[in-house]
Amino acid sequence: MVQLKNANEICYRKITADVGVSMLVFLALLNVFGITLPFFGLLCELLPTPVSSIVYQLIYGAGYLFSFMFPAVILKSRIQRAGYLHRPMKTELRLSPYLLPILAGGIVLIWTQSYINADMVSVFDYSEFSQAMLWGDSTELTPVEVVLQFIVIAMVPAFCEEFLFRGAILENLLPFGRGKAILISSLFFSIMHQNAEQILYAFAAGILLGVIYERTGSIWNCTFLHLVNNFLSFAMMLVADKLGGKYPEIMNAAMEAALCAIGVICIAILVLFLSEKKPCFADGVFGKTVGASDSYAARPVSSERAFRLFLSVPNVMFFAFSALQILALVGMALLF
């Protein structure tokens, strides 16, 4: 057991352990939801055909939403019960004036990460299995079903995942340092997907989303980026299914090339106009707000100690259970 040295380490150990507890609750809810969903699907089949699909999508969306929101409530309750200050997520509608370049540049970075990730984990090669598990059959959907499916597999995840991992977890880890908060929240975000093909990609995307949340001071900027990314993935999947063998790869390549060109230009704009400039002391600094540096932490804990203290029982249990489930999915995919 790691010996605690000061109040900062006690607080860090407690809050990171509380994050682990909330993630164990999340894991339990997600598994219960996955087990009971087929039962609800059978009940929905008793309804008329158009209604059954709509009801099923609503149940899926509600269950997914609850699985993410309830752990955030648990985290808040445990932090407050321990006598520490709970930091509410920054929900002010404070959209960055550079939101459009952030969206375009962010999409390019996320897609670049996804291609690198695909090459690195190509040994798993169970995309057909994960596609069937995540998207299902979308070739014969009505317009209403398309809208509902977009809501439950693109819009709901964008909102609830950002609210839990950036708004709840990252925000309450910020007192220990920006780097620690972003990395830890991204780690949980990546493991949460429980897909061996997505872990590295989701970790990198989580870092990008965390930086956007921390820099812009609002949950909505990273949520919109997450939503746009999900929307484009969903739209490209529908287009590919609709066209079948009629040049979907060429169209996808053309779309990606166009977005990439726009995104690179937007990244250049962000680098030029948002890069930190050297301060000018010509008029003094009195009355001016000086931003904290990246290394600033209200409750500093050394990196070595932070890693050791992070390995609390709840966190180890969460990663162990998640690893078992990931291996189980890999095994199922090999038999699929």
Side-chain angles (χ1 to χ4, degrees):
M1 183 175 180
V2 182
Q3 186 69 32
L4 299 173
K5 292 184 176 180
N6 53 50
N8 289 345
E9 291 188 356
I10 294 173
C11 182
Y12 173 82
R13 176 79 166 189
K14 171 61 180 171
I15 292 182
T16 53
D18 286 343
V19 171
V21 170
S22 67
M23 291 305 298
L24 285 172
V25 172
F26 161 79
L27 199 60
L29 289 174
L30 204 64
N31 279 279
V32 170
F33 176 55
I35 292 171
T36 57
L37 190 60
F39 172 74
F40 286 114
L42 292 175
L43 292 179
C44 290
E45 289 182 1
L46 301 177
L47 300 173
T49 302
V51 178
S52 63
S53 177
I54 294 174
V55 172
Y56 178 80
Q57 295 289 350
L58 293 175
I59 292 174
Y60 182 95
Y64 194 87
L65 183 65
F66 181 77
S67 298
F68 282 84
M69 292 307 184
F70 187 67
V73 174
I74 293 294
L75 178 60
K76 176 181 179 180
S77 174
R78 291 184 63 87
I79 291 175
Q80 291 179 333
R81 197 162 52 209
Y84 294 113
L85 178 65
H86 174 265
R87 294 167 59 97
M89 70 181 72
K90 297 180 176 70
T91 57
E92 302 88 349
L93 191 59
R94 189 188 305 165
L95 298 182
S96 170
Y98 294 92
L99 180 59
L100 290 179
I102 288 174
L103 294 178
I107 290 298
V108 169
L109 291 176
I110 290 175
W111 283 7
T112 301
Q113 295 162 4
S114 70
Y115 283 124
I116 296 174
N117 178 84
D119 291 336
M120 294 177 65
V121 300
S122 58
V123 63
F124 293 108
D125 192 22
Y126 64 99
S127 56
E128 182 180 353
F129 172 76
S130 59
Q131 182 78 4
M133 292 289 288
L134 292 173
W135 304 107
D137 183 12
S138 57
T139 56
E140 298 181 358
L141 296 176
T142 66
V144 173
E145 289 171 336
V146 169
V147 172
L148 283 174
Q149 195 170 79
F150 165 73
I151 292 174
V152 300
I153 66 178
M155 183 177 290
V156 170
F159 281 87
C160 65
E161 290 176 12
E162 291 309 305
F163 276 49
L164 175 59
F165 292 99
R166 256 60 68 180
I169 295 177
L170 189 154
E171 180 64 37
N172 282 282
L173 292 175
L174 278 176
F176 307 104
R178 294 170 177 171
K180 293 183 184 70
I182 291 173
L183 288 175
I184 291 174
S185 62
S186 299
L187 179 62
F188 280 111
F189 177 67
S190 64
I191 300 298
M192 171 276 299
H193 287 81
Q194 296 185 6
N195 186 333
E197 289 185 322
Q198 287 185 300
I199 291 177
L200 296 176
Y201 155 69
F203 180 70
I207 292 175
L208 175 62
L209 293 166
V211 169
I212 292 173
Y213 171 76
E214 195 278 325
R215 291 293 181 181
T216 61
S218 174
I219 193 69
W220 299 111
N221 296 286
C222 55
T223 299
F224 286 149
L225 174 57
H226 199 150
L227 177 60
V228 170
N229 179 67
N230 288 358
F231 168 75
L232 291 174
S233 298
F234 179 77
M236 292 175 69
M237 179 270 296
L238 287 181
V239 169
D241 285 345
K242 191 71 175 178
L243 294 178
K246 298 179 181 178
Y247 317 112
E249 293 184 3
I250 296 177
M251 291 191 63
N252 284 345
M255 185 185 302
E256 290 177 1
L259 290 174
C260 182
I262 296 172
V264 169
I265 294 173
C266 290
I267 292 173
I269 292 173
L270 292 173
V271 170
L272 289 174
F273 290 95
L274 296 185
S275 59
E276 294 184 3
K277 297 178 173 58
K278 294 182 179 180
C280 176
F281 298 102
D283 299 321
V285 295
F286 296 102
K288 294 184 179 180
T289 301
V290 180
S293 67
D294 290 339
S295 60
Y296 171 78
R299 291 180 172 270
V301 177
S302 69
S303 297
E304 179 184 354
R305 296 285 296 172
F307 174 75
R308 296 175 63 187
L309 293 169
F310 176 75
L311 298 177
S312 59
V313 173
N315 287 330
V316 172
M317 289 178 61
F318 170 75
F319 290 117
F321 289 147
S322 297
L324 290 175
Q325 290 192 286
I326 291 171
L327 291 175
L329 286 174
V330 172
M332 292 171 60
L334 294 175
L335 299 174
F336 180 69

